[in-house]
Every structure is written in C-alpha cells, then in structure tokens.
Amino acid sequence: AGDIRAGESRAYFVHLNDPDAAGHATGFSADNATYVRAIEACDRNLGVVLDAVLSRPSAAREDWLFVLTTDHGGSGTTHGPIDADNQRIWFVAAGASVRATTVPDGEANHMDLAPTALRWLGVTIDPAWGIQGVARAQ
C-alpha cells in the first residue's frame, strides 16, 4: 500500500488469490465458511488498496479506474464444466469518471479486464495482439 500512496505509476495490478485457493481446496459455496472467510479477507485487502489510493496527496486531482473480477465460477472444488455455475463471474469497473452501466447476465468475461485497462490508459489495441474481451469502461 505504501508504494501506491507515494508512487507515480500509472497502473497497478493486484492479484488476490485466496478465494480461488479456498474454493479449490474446500469448495466454491456460500455455505462454506472457509471459502466465505477467504472472500472476506480479500475484501479487507481490497480496502487497504482503496484506502492507499484515497490517501494520496493528489487523489482529488486523479482519475482512477478499479477493475475487479474473478477468473471463473465454481462448483464443488472444480470449475471444469461449461455451465452457469462455472462460467458466471462478476466484473466491476469503477472510478470517478466511469459511467454506471449494468452488463447483462452472462456477458461479462474475465478476458474483459485487459481491454478495459488498456483503453483507460489510452492504448490503442492492435488486433494482431490477439487480445480477447471487450472494454467495459470508457
């Protein structure tokens, strides 16, 4: 968090893996206390990151984009079948200048993260790069 408060970087990538690890080890279920605790810990860690951004001396003059997603759903301790339990994910793009939009169920994809972040950074995506997904924030 200290690097974010003081840093001048234009982008940060944070990967919080505990919910995925807990789901694979003990099951992807809202009834699974171990899985829920891992999600709650992830939420607290996200709060540390958000607090670091908001505590920057220049925060009021900055326009941040936060993109949050999971890489897959799950059923039991796996995510192999091509069904709603395993394919449905959540995807959030948030920031002061992000227009509020609801993406229809089933249309968001974890592959949307890269084009969303790149567009936000002003990078023109070359089709030759083979990047999949759709930019979800302008």
Side-chain angles (χ1 to χ4, degrees), residues 48-115:
V48 169
V49 172
L50 293 174
D51 288 345
V53 168
L54 295 175
S55 71
R56 292 167 58 92
S58 56
R61 297 181 310 277
E62 297 173 339
D63 187 13
W64 283 77
L65 171 68
F66 298 91
V67 182
L68 309 138
T69 188
T70 60
D71 61 340
H72 57 76
S75 178
T77 58
T78 188
H79 54 81
I82 306 296
D83 61 18
D85 284 343
N86 293 282
Q87 299 298 308
R88 183 173 292 124
I89 58 106
W90 53 268
F91 185 96
V92 175
S97 65
V98 174
R99 183 175 44 92
T101 302
T102 300
V103 177
D105 189 32
E107 285 189 22
N109 185 305
H110 66 277
M111 299 300 285
D112 297 343
L113 190 145

Side-chain angles (χ1 to χ4, degrees), residues 11-32:
Y12 293 91
F13 177 85
V14 179
H15 177 220
L16 303 172
N17 191 59
D18 289 350
D20 187 60
H24 284 296
T26 64
F28 295 96
S29 172
D31 297 327
N32 176 354

